[in-house]
Each structure stands twice: as C-alpha cells, then as structure tokens.
C-alpha cells in the first residue's frame, strides 16, 4: 500500500492533508514535535513520528521507502530570527529528500516564491523550491496566494478598536484561498499515482480589504472602519501586534511587491479554491462548531 509522510499536521494545511489521506485509506505518518499532539492522530489511524524538520537524519530515515512527502516551511519559528532558521530547515529538508530517494514531494510554497528578491516571508520558500528541484524527486510546487485565514489577525483590532487595518489600498483585491482548500488540493496531488513535476498556482475568490472588513463586520455584528496603513508604518504596526521584527520586515517587503504588481501567478496551471470568506470567518469565530464537536 502507498505510504505518505505529512509535515505540519498540527497546523492548518497539514492537518487537512493528513485527514484527507486517512479518509482515502492511505497509510499516513504525521510529523509532530510534541508527543501529546500525536495522540489524536494515533486515534485516527495515523503513525506518528516525533522530530523536527530541521533534523536531516531524522527526516532521511523517515522518508526512506515512502511514496510521497507533504512538506512546508513553518513560519512559527522561535524569534528573533526568521530567515536564518527557515533557510537552515530548507537545507535539511532538501538533503533528506535527496538522500532518502522519496519519489514524490508536494511542497507548500507561496505565490511570492516566484520572485527571487522582494519576496519577504517567501525567501526560504524560493530557496527550498530551487534546492528540491535539484533532486530526482517528482516535485509538485503548490503556490497559494494569500490565505483567507489571515483574517484571524484582524480580530483584535476589530473587537478592541472597531477598525480593519489594510496593508494595501482598501479597494485592491487579491485572490484569497482558504487553507482547507489548500489542504484538499495538496492531498489530491500527493495521492496522484503518476505525479508530474510542476508548479501549481492555488488561487481563490478575490477580496479587497473593504470586502473583508464588511464580511467580518457582519459576522461580529459590529461596524468596522477600514484604516489604510501607509507603507512607512507597516513594520511598526506589525510589530505592535506582537510580530517579531524580522518577520514584520519580511511581510512589509512582500506587501510592497504585491502593491507594485510584482507578484502574479506564473505556474504551469492553476487551481481555484471555492470556499468563501464567510465560512472561514465562521470557523475562526466558532472553531468547535466548524470541527463538528
Ligand atoms: N499566510 C499566508 O497567506 C500564506 C500564503 C501562502 C503560503 N503560505 C505558507 O504556508 C505555510 C504555513 O502553513 P500553515 O498555515 O498550515 O502552517 P501553521 O498552521 O502555522 O502550522 C505550522 C506547522 O508546522 C509545524 N512546525 C513548526 N516548526 C516545526 C519544526 N521545526 N519541525 C516540524 N514541524 C514544525 C507546527 O507544529 P507545532 O504544532 O509543533 O508548532 C505546525 O504543525 C508557510 O510556509 C507559509 O509560507 C502562507
């Protein structure tokens, strides 16, 4: 039977990938860093491997003999560094993929990884795409656009100040995809018996900050005002929310590239997720209901 390894299974996209594979009856091993987080997965029929994506020997051993690997580069790295630990993780992952000979990798990248400079948080994703491309594995590079789920970060300013901060002009719409759609697309790519090496842009419905604010306003039953944050105040505003400085600088850099139209879909094909923002907001506000608890 085909066997798969899934990274990030305690997170948004990876959890959907693992659940979808299990639902298809596939032998699935999830990577966790904390034993307690593995219990739920054992209960669902998964194997659990405890280790880090930064540990190349752990990963090499785990990937030997499996058919496919879903990998991501986590953003929840311990501060203060952001780029350096992710670059180190990218090298460990690339070495493990090469040394293990795993035949297919589905990599969760980002649309911003398509450009070599000014890509902000996607800097190490660009590096990982390139390094994995040097191995013999069939490589599916999934490049989602902006996540709808990022709206969770707007709950605090919305509920405490009645504002919806926007880092782009309020009427500029970006395609936005729900992480649940990304997970389903990744699982389908992984379960493909004859995978091609390709770049897939993963898009979704277009939303402007004004439309997102209206959706959140309606869900919270509270009037919200869109506040356009000028580029010079991006880093200060982001660190004010508790984001570490290096990550805030990276996000500001990426926003500047989006605003300048430098980041556009350019993969071999595109898949468009259909989940609307209202469903994602409902899941954020009522997580137990969304999980069917
Ligand atoms: N935000 C966006 O709009 C956007 C758009 C396109 C692409 N992306 C990409 O999406 C990715 C994030 O996906 P997501 O939202 O599903 O992630 P997430 O919910 O933040 O989850 C991160 C996962 O990585 C795991 N992890 C963290 N450090 C690890 C380590 N050292 N070793 C092994 N596992 C580790 C976490 O496990 P623990 O439970 O142990 O922490 C968790 O399962 C990022 O790479 C980002 O570049 C984001």
């Amino acid at each position: 039977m085909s066997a798969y390894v899934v990274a990030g299974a305690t997170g948004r996209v990876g959890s959907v990938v693992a659940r979808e594979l299990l639902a298809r009856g596939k032998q699935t091993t999830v990577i966790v860093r904390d034993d307690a987080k593995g219990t739920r997965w054992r209960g669902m029929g998964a194997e659990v491997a405890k280790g880090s994506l930064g540990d190349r020997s752990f990963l090499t051993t785990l990937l030997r003999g499996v058919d496919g690997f879903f990998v991501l580069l986590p953003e929840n790295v311990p501060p203060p560094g952001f780029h350096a630990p992710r670059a180190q993780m990218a090298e460990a992952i690339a070495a493990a993929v090469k040394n293990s000979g795993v035949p297919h990798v589905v990599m969760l990248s980002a649309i911003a990884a398509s450009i070599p400079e000014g890509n902000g948080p996607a800097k190490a994703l660009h590096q990982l795409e390139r390094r994995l491309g040097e191995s013999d594995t069939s490589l599916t590079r999934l490049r989602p656009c902006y996540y709808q789920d990022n709206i969770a970060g707007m709950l605090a300013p919305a509920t405490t100040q009645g504002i919806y901060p926007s880092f782009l002009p309020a009427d500029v719409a970006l395609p936005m995809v729900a992480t649940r759609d990304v997970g389903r697309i990744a699982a389908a790519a992984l379960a493909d018996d004859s995978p091609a090496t390709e770049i897939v842009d993963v898009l979704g419905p277009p939303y402007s900050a004004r439309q997102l604010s209206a959706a959140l306003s309606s869900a919270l039953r509270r009037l919200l005002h869109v506040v356009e944050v000028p580029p010079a105040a991006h880093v200060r505003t982001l660190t004010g929310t508790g984001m570490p400085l290096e990550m805030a600088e990276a996000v500001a850099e990426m926003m500047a590239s989006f605003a300048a139209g430098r980041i556009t879909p350019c993969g071999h094909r595109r898949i468009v997720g259909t989940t609307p923002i209202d469903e994602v907001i409902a899941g954020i506000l009522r997580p137990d209901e969304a999980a069917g608890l």
Side-chain angles (χ1 to χ4, degrees), residues 36-205:
K37 292 187 180 178
T39 309
R40 184 170 78 94
W41 288 106
R42 282 193 191 91
M44 291 166 69
E47 299 285 318
V48 175
K50 187 181 165 205
S52 169
L53 285 167
D55 180 344
R56 67 181 69 190
S57 70
F58 157 75
L59 273 184
T60 306
T61 307
L62 188 64
L63 294 178
R64 281 209 177 103
V66 305
D67 299 280
F69 178 35
F70 169 77
V71 71
L72 78 174
L73 268 187
E75 288 180 339
N76 62 330
V77 289
F82 180 73
H83 294 301
R86 280 164 47 91
Q88 185 269 334
M89 239 187 273
E91 289 305 310
I93 293 164
V97 165
K98 189 168 184 201
N99 296 338
S100 66
V102 57
H104 183 207
V105 174
V106 174
M107 177 196 159
L108 178 59
S109 186
I111 200 165
S114 59
I115 57 172
E117 301 289 336
N119 46 23
K123 185 174 177 179
L125 293 174
H126 184 84
Q127 171 190 345
L128 182 57
E129 281 199 9
R130 185 173 46 76
R131 297 284 283 114
L132 288 176
E134 291 164 8
S135 70
D136 293 331
T137 190
S138 294
L139 176 62
T140 309
R141 291 174 243 186
L142 295 183
R143 288 185 180 161
C145 50
Y146 213 57
Y147 289 165
Q148 292 182 18
D149 312 57
N150 294 342
I151 201 166
M154 297 302 172
L155 276 184
T159 53
T160 59
Q161 300 169 62
I163 61 166
Y164 189 99
S166 175
F167 294 84
L168 290 175
D171 292 305
V172 168
L174 287 183
M176 291 181 70
V177 66
T179 52
R180 64 188 74 169
D181 287 345
V182 181
R184 287 185 202 119
I185 291 162
L190 211 51
D192 186 338
D193 288 335
S194 47
T197 286
E198 61 175 350
I199 298 172
V200 183
D201 294 312
V202 181
L203 309 180

Side-chain angles (χ1 to χ4, degrees), residues 2 4 32 106 114 137 140 205 210 278 292:
S2 306
Y4 301 95
V32 299
V106 174
S114 59
T137 190
T140 309
R210 207 176 301 286
D278 298 321

